[in-house]
Amino acid sequence: MDLNLKVESFTQDRRDWLGSAHGTDAPVSVTLDVSKFTQATHYPDGYIKSGIPLGKVTASGQYGPYDGAATDGREALVGFLFTAQDVDARQVASTSVVGSMLIHCFIREAKLPVAVDAAGKTDVAGRIIFV
């Protein structure tokens, strides 16, 4: 039995980037490759923010941040991270974290934590609507 004091912090997950509840009843489970995310951009507070656009890394099948200039598969936008994921180095030793992704939804573009370019919007046209 471990009786040592443990500190746990909680954050409120902002989802004001969602345009409606449409699609939130069927998120897809994905494995995030934490090494593909940049701390200063994607998780400055120790967690990857919900609303981050995701692309699938071809070689591993894991997901990383969408990057239109990437050449590893992440240049194609496939969805958006639905729930924030803790990646604080003090708490998460693994470079892989399981999360959930929305692949069909309405997005308030101005509220996203990072911008999506025109090519990314084309990738998800018909499944994700930007309002």
Side-chain angles (χ1 to χ4, degrees):
M1 178 180 348
D2 183 6
L3 297 176
N4 292 319
L5 179 65
K6 294 185 180 175
V7 177
E8 208 171 333
S9 58
F10 297 90
T11 59
Q12 184 172 357
D13 194 7
R14 284 188 52 222
R15 290 198 187 135
D16 56 351
W17 53 271
L18 282 171
S20 75
H22 180 78
T24 61
D25 60 335
V28 177
S29 180
V30 295
T31 302
L32 303 175
D33 181 347
V34 178
S35 69
K36 299 290 185 188
F37 293 85
T38 305
Q39 183 175 4
T41 303
H42 302 112
Y43 60 99
D45 301 318
Y47 61 95
I48 300 174
K49 299 175 182 179
S50 68
I52 293 288
L54 299 174
K56 187 174 185 178
V57 180
T58 306
S60 67
Q62 295 184 339
Y63 292 78
Y66 163 74
D67 179 355
T71 58
D72 61 359
R74 294 179 300 124
E75 65 274 12
L77 178 62
V78 293
F80 289 84
L81 187 64
F82 182 46
T83 55
Q85 296 303 311
D86 189 359
V87 292
D88 189 332
R90 295 168 294 165
Q91 297 175 16
V92 178
S94 174
T95 59
S96 298
V97 176
V98 175
S100 58
M101 177 177 68
L102 293 179
I103 59 171
H104 184 77
C105 58
F106 289 90
I107 300 286
R108 288 187 181 131
E109 186 175 359
K111 299 284 187 172
L112 286 172
V114 295
V116 175
D117 61 14
K121 292 176 190 175
T122 300
D123 293 338
V124 295
R127 293 187 294 115
I128 296 177
I129 308 297
F130 293 86
V131 294

